[in-house]
Amino acid sequence: MAESNTTGRERSPFRRKQNNDFGFGTGIGKIPPQAIELEEAVLGALMLEKEAITVVVDILKPASFYKDAHKEIYEAILNLFNESEPIDLLTVTNKLRKNGKLEIAGGAFYITELTSKVSSAANIEYHARIITEQAMKRDMIHVASEIQRDAYEETTDVFELLDKMEQSLFEISENNIRKNYSDMKSIMREAITELEGKKDLKDGLTGVPSGFTALDRVTSGWQKSDLVIIAARPAMGKTAFVLSVLRNAAVDHSRPVAIFSLEMSAVQLVNRLISSEAELDSEKIKKGNLADYEWEQLIHKTSKLSSAPLFVDDTPALSVLELRAKCRRLKAQSDIQMIVIDYLQLMSGDSKANANGNREQEISSISRALKKIAKELEVPVIALSQLSRAVETRGGDKRPQLSDLRESGAIEQDADIVMFLYRPEYYGINEDEEGNTTAGTGEVIIAKHRSGSLETVKLRFIGKYTKFTDLDMNVPYQPQAQEAFYGSKFPSASGGKGFDDSNMIRIQSKANGDDDDAFPGGLGSNEPAPF
């Protein structure tokens, strides 16, 4: 008899239907997390004390309530608060009646009962946080249920499912966990501690170094939480500039950095880095047409680059949600110190803006999202941007200005720093105002700097190596770079003399990364090559 009772209990169609009514698939006998009594107490307290709403308005949302009637009542309270109207039993009842929601909310008698279940709003914040926690649990159960259902589908892509799960969990966290304000005493203590740490810095760099002396003197490095926009017309060297910046931070200063390349593949970016680091013609790298001594040079010069903490993601048409999730993972796993996006206009933004076909709104949502990522992860985010064609139609020296930023004024508003790359020789301007040659030079024009001065920094641009370096190099730029680097002693391709670097002209620059130590895989070393 006992066995039949157990079997009947397990197979009861009523119990299975009762469980499915909740829509969570949590098992027989389980109900979603809830705190009905606390919901009643909170709503009653809100109608008893007019200042209580200011305590919970940033903690509770209508969706935080489990009971539908409570959602409607809290929605009415929020409407009154937004309209600067008093919140009490009568005003809430009248608001629900005007909105046609009084019956859904349980009627006037039920609302009156709520105020009798609590005597004060003393513990309202604590109660509100418990309600939020229960709502978060329900959301997680819902996400888990959807993931479980999709995982059983044969057509489901497992990586898309992982991404969806991660995004859903992050959304639950973002929608419910908010940072609270801080008092002046604690902020001052944090600021003094930060200043004490900075006083020991001899070079004055408080952020991630760019590797360019003059630029770092103005910015003190790329600062935490800053959104930096680097804009230029095509062929000005935007990618070459940020690759030089990334290389300097990762190789010279061992800072973990990441670049999201929407325009070029990962291999193309690395080929540019190899050309820059080994000082080999980018055309030769592209074609693989390297002599024996050039292979030796490549191995020697790129030994540090191969082990640098530099991460490359070349996902095309990257969305803001995907970017945020990937950046969070990189921050958690590798503690990245800087993020670069190449380039902003190739990203896809808010789906609502896409649906409306409004490109300006979409770019605005992207720039706002990038600023949020910078603040959340406390890292500088550098985004490359295109300039409009108005630069080309303008007379004079065609120097870019803030109004040339393409497709959205929000880029200028959200950015902490806006820089323009400008090469006069591109427009046939061979001399500057002082009569100096502009050949092989580039300018970084700081057009907006929220925490510093506006200046123009001149750099050396070496096109064949796709790199930028400091302008004040010991040896001036020479078109015949191969002869300048090796002198007259070219190693024999047949292997007669082998590789000889005794005639190298050393160029002392942070961007060059010279190393006098024995290199892995090179002559005089028993270590294997890094490739």
Side-chain angles (χ1 to χ4, degrees), residues 212 215 222 229-243 245 384-385 387 391 398-401 418-424 426-427 441-447 456-457 459 461 468:
F212 303 120
L215 185 59
W222 310 111
I229 300 295
I230 299 175
R233 289 294 294 157
M236 284 293 168
K238 293 189 298 296
T239 303
F241 178 77
V242 293
L243 284 180
V245 166
L384 303 189
S385 177
L387 291 177
V391 178
K398 302 184 187 298
R399 288 178 182 271
Q401 53 195 31
V418 177
M419 295 179 174
F420 298 122
L421 294 182
Y422 172 70
R423 292 193 296 114
Y426 179 83
Y427 295 108
T441 63
E443 297 180 8
V444 179
I445 304 169
I446 304 176
T456 297
V457 176
L459 300 175
F461 176 69
F468 281 84

Side-chain angles (χ1 to χ4, degrees), residues 345-359:
Q345 278 82 6
L346 290 179
M347 288 188 67
S348 58
D350 186 9
S351 57
K352 293 180 180 178
N354 290 339
N356 296 334
N358 192 323
R359 181 60 176 166

Side-chain angles (χ1 to χ4, degrees), residues 128-409:
R129 294 195 182 281
I130 294 176
I131 293 171
T132 299
E133 289 173 7
Q134 300 304 312
M136 291 176 68
K137 288 180 181 179
R138 293 197 299 273
D139 289 339
M140 286 188 282
I141 292 171
H142 180 68
V143 169
S145 177
E146 285 193 339
I147 295 299
Q148 183 182 32
R149 181 197 64 205
D150 293 342
Y152 278 107
E153 295 290 336
E154 294 293 334
T155 57
T156 301
D157 184 279
V158 66
F159 297 105
E160 289 183 1
L161 187 59
L162 280 171
D163 190 57
K164 176 185 176 182
M165 178 177 65
E166 191 174 53
Q167 289 180 21
S168 299
L169 291 175
F170 276 135
E171 285 174 6
I172 293 172
S173 175
E174 282 187 346
N175 292 337
N176 293 280
I177 300 176
R178 297 291 182 184
K179 183 179 179 182
N180 205 354
Y181 58 83
S182 302
D183 58 64
M184 194 61 184
K185 186 176 181 181
S186 61
I187 298 173
M188 281 293 292
R189 189 184 302 116
E190 184 179 347
I192 295 298
T193 302
E194 189 174 313
L195 284 173
E196 288 175 348
K198 291 177 180 178
K199 72 178 182 180
D200 298 326
L201 298 173
K202 295 180 181 179
D203 53 9
L205 291 176
T206 58
V208 179
S210 70
F212 303 120
T213 307
L215 185 59
D216 284 337
R217 193 179 297 122
V218 179
T219 63
S220 298
W222 310 111
Q223 300 297 315
K224 291 181 180 180
S225 303
D226 273 5
L227 173 60
V228 181
I229 300 295
I230 299 175
R233 289 294 294 157
M236 284 293 168
K238 293 189 298 296
T239 303
F241 178 77
V242 293
L243 284 180
S244 297
V245 166
L246 286 168
R247 180 258 164 223
N248 295 339
V251 176
D252 290 341
H253 300 277
S254 301
R255 301 291 188 98
V257 292
I259 179 170
F260 294 86
S261 176
L262 288 81
E263 188 175 32
M264 302 174 65
S265 69
V267 174
Q268 287 175 318
L269 283 179
V270 171
N271 282 340
R272 281 198 172 199
L273 283 168
I274 291 172
S275 173
S276 171
E277 190 75 4
E279 296 194 332
L280 293 171
D281 195 325
S282 57
E283 287 296 321
K284 286 190 173 184
I285 297 290
K286 186 188 299 183
K287 297 175 182 177
N289 185 23
L290 300 177
D292 291 346
Y293 71 89
E294 290 173 321
W295 280 108
E296 295 284 358
Q297 179 181 339
L298 186 150
I299 293 171
H300 177 200
K301 287 284 193 174
T302 58
S303 59
K304 280 188 174 182
L305 182 63
S306 63
S307 58
L310 203 163
F311 304 91
V312 181
D313 187 306
D314 59 357
T315 305
L318 188 68
S319 70
V320 168
L321 287 176
E322 290 172 325
L323 176 69
R324 185 183 292 116
K326 290 181 177 183
C327 288
R328 281 171 172 155
R329 284 201 298 269
L330 282 169
K331 183 65 176 178
Q333 296 169 4
S334 305
D335 191 27
I336 54 170
Q337 301 295 304
M338 182 167 64
I339 298 166
V340 173
I341 294 97
D342 182 14
Y343 61 91
L344 188 149
Q345 278 82 6
L346 290 179
M347 288 188 67
S348 58
D350 186 9
S351 57
K352 293 180 180 178
N354 290 339
N356 296 334
N358 192 323
R359 181 60 176 166
E360 184 176 347
Q361 288 183 9
E362 185 181 8
I363 294 295
S364 299
S365 69
I366 292 171
S367 66
R368 283 193 298 270
L370 295 181
K371 178 60 182 175
K372 288 178 182 176
I373 291 172
K375 286 193 68 177
E376 179 188 339
L377 302 183
E378 294 188 335
V379 298
V381 173
I382 301 176
L384 303 189
S385 177
Q386 292 280 20
L387 291 177
S388 68
R389 292 179 181 174
V391 178
E392 309 296 334
T393 59
R394 188 183 303 134
D397 56 10
K398 302 184 187 298
R399 288 178 182 271
Q401 53 195 31
L402 288 173
S403 59
D404 296 326
L405 285 170
R406 188 173 171 184
E407 291 178 317
S408 178

